[in-house]
Amino acid sequence: MKPSRDIARLLEIMAALRTPVTGCPWDLEQDFSTIAPYTIEEAYEVADAIHRGDTDDICDELGDLLLQVVFHSRMAEEKDIFDFGDVVHAITRKMIRRHPHVFGDQKQHEAGMSKAIWDAIKAEEKAEKAARHAAHGTAERAPSLLDDVPISLPALMRAEKLQRRAGTVGFDWNSVPSVMDKMHEELGEIEVELNAPEQSKDRIEDEIGDLLFVVANLARHLHIDPEKALQRTNEKFRTRFRHIETRLGEQGSTLQDASLDEMEALWQEAKTAPKGK
């Protein structure tokens, strides 16, 4: 079997990997739940390649991400749930529906996309999803406004989306100072738990979670993406720590040999070093 630009070849490869006896033992053992973490990981690797501006890697990582879609589709096809064609049909239908100002009639072209039209489209999609769940017997409870905020999102990103969704019905702080007050309150509650006669890791974890949730809310009120802000700080930390390692190496020393004071001095040096040095 040779490589190809045709999606049909990728579908054939996946089918071969999942064929009992002659297929790949590892691929045959997988199911939706075991593959899901790889799907998330591949999406992050696409984002990382984009961040680095490595176009070759972007191409490779998009291929890995596409494989995840094909893998899930093949497993579903084996269970007669849906196949890759159904996935393509679903997304093309959704894109056409969500862009009536592009794919609709002349009047829709002239009207453009308004918030009212967008809200109506989203409402229709939610109603259809609820009907599908009801038909399949998977609707165990009344739908919630927060149902479609995925639990698999990074925690800060999910916090921001949950808060934003709740804010659409007025469940929100009305000012930045009020969020700041809540943040100070949560810091105080952490101090209380830390100073308790008998510390509880669960209670401390709860309070730290509350603080992070409020920080995400503060970022949202300031129109800052909390996930992006933390990623930026992570990269800043990595760069400055790398500076410490480099400078110690230049001095004939290592991280293991250096004292905390020496590392702190180099950390401060890194903060004032020109970018890119």
Side-chain angles (χ1 to χ4, degrees):
M1 186 175 288
K2 296 180 179 180
S4 171
R5 298 175 63 88
D6 190 338
I7 187 66
R9 179 56 53 82
L10 181 57
L11 296 174
E12 290 173 2
I13 291 172
M14 193 70 253
L17 292 173
R18 290 281 298 182
T19 300
V21 183
T22 61
C24 171
W26 185 88
D27 289 279
L28 285 166
E29 290 177 355
Q30 307 312 309
D31 57 30
F32 292 125
S33 62
T34 61
I35 290 298
Y38 295 102
T39 307
I40 296 169
E41 180 180 338
E42 296 299 350
Y44 277 119
E45 290 184 1
V46 170
D48 178 67
I50 292 171
H51 175 74
R52 291 185 283 105
D54 189 326
T55 52
D56 287 337
D57 272 5
I58 293 173
C59 180
D60 285 344
E61 298 301 347
L62 284 173
D64 290 344
L65 185 58
L66 177 58
L67 175 63
Q68 297 299 307
V69 178
V70 170
F71 206 144
H72 284 287
S73 299
R74 179 63 194 181
M75 291 187 292
E77 183 177 358
E78 292 167 359
K79 296 178 179 294
D80 292 323
I81 304 173
F82 60 82
D83 61 18
F84 184 77
D86 293 319
V87 174
V88 175
H89 180 270
I91 189 58
T92 53
R93 180 172 180 267
K94 183 181 294 184
M95 296 306 291
I96 293 169
R97 169 190 251 173
R98 289 186 176 183
H99 297 83
H101 56 301
V102 177
F103 303 111
D105 57 29
Q106 186 61 36
K107 289 184 179 179
Q108 290 172 312
H109 277 266
E110 294 172 353
M113 174 64 85
S114 68
K115 186 177 186 303
I117 294 174
W118 177 253
D119 289 344
I121 291 170
K122 294 293 287 183
E124 288 177 6
E125 291 177 354
K126 286 185 177 181
E128 287 184 1
K129 182 178 288 189
R132 285 200 303 272
H133 285 306
H136 296 153
T138 56
E140 299 178 355
R141 53 182 172 77
S144 165
L145 180 68
L146 307 180
D147 277 347
D148 58 350
V149 181
I151 194 171
S152 57
L153 287 175
L156 276 178
M157 186 184 296
R158 186 164 186 254
E160 191 272 344
K161 288 185 178 294
L162 288 169
Q163 295 159 3
R164 187 179 297 280
R165 186 63 55 80
T168 62
V169 293
F171 190 75
D172 199 2
W173 282 294
N174 56 18
S175 68
V176 170
S178 62
V179 182
M180 292 288 292
D181 288 342
K182 183 62 176 177
M183 188 168 68
H184 290 304
E185 176 187 326
E186 297 297 349
L187 275 170
E189 292 181 5
I190 291 174
E191 289 183 6
V192 169
E193 291 300 335
L194 291 176
N195 294 322
E198 294 184 8
Q199 286 189 2
S200 166
K201 183 178 179 181
D202 284 343
R203 288 199 299 270
I204 293 172
E205 182 177 285
D206 283 344
E207 298 300 344
I208 289 177
D210 290 345
L211 176 62
L212 290 171
F213 194 82
V214 177
V215 169
N217 219 332
L218 175 63
R220 180 175 64 88
H221 276 77
L222 294 172
H223 307 292
I224 292 172
D225 180 342
E227 191 72 23
K228 183 178 178 181
L230 184 55
Q231 288 286 10
R232 186 173 178 176
T233 296
N234 287 342
E235 184 59 20
K236 183 165 56 179
F237 179 89
R238 187 198 66 80
T239 300
R240 290 176 179 174
F241 193 81
R242 179 61 178 160
H243 177 87
I244 294 174
E245 292 175 312
T246 301
R247 293 286 286 117
L248 286 173
E250 292 171 352
Q251 298 168 10
S253 184
T254 65
L255 292 171
Q256 290 72 25
D257 297 332
S259 67
L260 179 58
D261 287 342
E262 289 173 318
M263 287 189 284
E264 176 61 25
L266 292 173
W267 176 269
Q268 294 302 323
E269 179 182 283
K271 290 174 65 175
T272 59
K275 289 185 178 179
K277 182 177 179 180

